[in-house]
Amino acid sequence: WVAGFFSSLFNGDAGKVEAATARISAPEVKEAPNRGLVHHERPGHYFATPREYVEWYYGRFPERKGWKVVGVLLYRKHVVSSLPYIPELTQHMEGEGLVPLPFFITGVDAHIAVRDSLTSPYERGAVARGEVPANPTLSPDAVDVDAVVSTIGFPLVGGPAR
């Protein structure tokens, strides 16, 4: 498929290639982080932390405070590819009275995102009562969720075959 391209390029046709590509316009590149959160009401915007997302969400939809919150684990590749199932899923959840927390990750280690960024009143209570040790990696920007749904297809097992 590149037959003759390189020989032409090195035989003086580089100016023609440059002139031809100068007319091509491309949209501005928006770099996506390795992990973050998205919402269909803010296309192209990536929230850095669950807390940032929740603050935006309740600012945008104050009437939804008190709804159950469901963490939704997504592949980053699906987010940057704008696969339609993501807004379809989050809109369906909202239609059912649930707050989606669409959290994307790179790779299959979703347990790290869950461990470090999501918590619950049950977990916080168990720590306060001394029933379980405090999670040293829990972010101060972690938020409470009522459930977690994984679209990733890998179990939420921590580390090598725990």
Side-chain angles (χ1 to χ4, degrees), residues 130-143:
E131 296 170 4
V132 296
N135 175 0
T137 62
L138 186 64
S139 168
D141 289 319
V143 297

Side-chain angles (χ1 to χ4, degrees), residues 47-68:
F47 297 92
T49 68
R51 173 115 13 246
E52 178 189 353
Y53 173 87
V54 166
E55 288 172 359
W56 169 82
Y57 192 90
Y58 291 134
R60 175 78 173 84
F61 307 106
E63 71 281 4
R64 297 179 183 175
K65 287 184 181 176
W67 287 13
K68 300 289 186 187

